[in-house]
Amino acid sequence: MKHLTTPITDDDLANVNVGDQISISGTIYTGRDAALPQLVRLIEENKVPFDLNGCVIMHTAFSDAGIAPTTSSKVEIESTIPKLSESGVKIHIGKGMLSDETAEKLKEHHSIFVITPPVAALLTNKVLKKKCVLFEKEGMEAMFKLDVEDIPGIVAIHNGKKIK
């Protein structure tokens, strides 16, 4: 298993390949259908209140039940990945498979897609601290900043290649 700590650099990603098991520690952000399109609008308006460079976004909501990835290929999520990657997001964590076009955009912006098991108890146990940072009115679909230790995943897309 390869261990990564945020913020993620291009050098960190140079040492991982499709199919590698990884764990991520540090700060990650959550976002899904309601939050990610709003985040893209903030990027376009230059109003994001935190630095996206080297960050990790997990496609999930956060509720009292915990966290588990949502399907990343939903239009509301997948359509945001190119702009988020262009803006500095290095790792997108979710489940499912993304289009070839999105894989190419990830490659272009030196970002990767990681899948993680939808096991809420395991993932929630890795969260050390949480704070709502954007879109509080969205409830559990608001954007949260999480301090995490060893979120597990498998690299599913890197350098235009997909897991089989």
Side-chain angles (χ1 to χ4, degrees):
M1 177 157 319
K2 296 180 180 179
H3 300 277
L4 300 174
T5 301
T6 62
I8 306 298
T9 66
D10 287 347
D11 287 342
D12 293 330
L13 298 184
N15 296 317
V16 299
N17 297 297
V18 169
D20 284 352
Q21 292 182 24
I22 65 169
S23 70
I24 301 168
S25 297
T27 299
I28 68 171
Y29 293 91
T30 66
R32 53 176 282 168
D33 313 44
L36 294 178
Q38 292 181 75
L39 179 60
V40 167
R41 280 193 291 283
L42 289 180
I43 290 168
E44 291 167 349
E45 296 168 1
N46 202 27
K47 293 182 178 179
V48 179
F50 48 87
D51 190 1
L52 291 172
N53 287 312
C55 87
V56 175
I57 292 182
M58 183 173 190
H59 304 152
T60 187
F62 200 110
S63 72
D64 291 338
I67 61 172
T70 193
T71 303
S72 300
S73 61
K74 291 188 268 184
V75 172
E76 300 86 356
I77 296 174
E78 186 167 0
S79 67
T80 68
I81 291 173
K83 186 65 173 180
L84 293 171
S85 296
E86 178 185 349
S87 299
V89 175
K90 288 296 178 189
I91 300 177
H92 304 265
I93 303 173
K95 70 177 185 178
M97 193 43 67
L98 302 176
S99 70
D100 291 341
E101 294 81 17
T102 299
E104 283 302 312
K105 288 295 183 182
L106 287 165
K107 178 181 177 181
E108 180 181 329
H109 300 297
H110 307 283
S111 299
I112 67 173
F113 178 60
V114 172
I115 54 174
T116 193
V119 185
L122 168 70
L123 297 175
T124 303
N125 190 48
K126 305 291 185 180
V127 177
L128 306 174
K129 188 172 153 184
K130 73 173 183 174
K131 177 183 178 186
C132 183
V133 292
L134 285 173
F135 319 122
E136 187 173 359
K137 68 180 180 352
E138 300 295 349
M140 69 180 197
E141 284 203 33
M143 192 159 210
F144 286 85
K145 176 182 178 181
L146 308 179
D147 291 337
V148 302
E149 186 172 343
D150 294 327
I151 291 284
I154 298 171
V155 178
I157 301 176
H158 187 20
N159 285 329
K161 297 179 181 129
K162 294 182 174 185
I163 199 166
K164 297 188 188 253

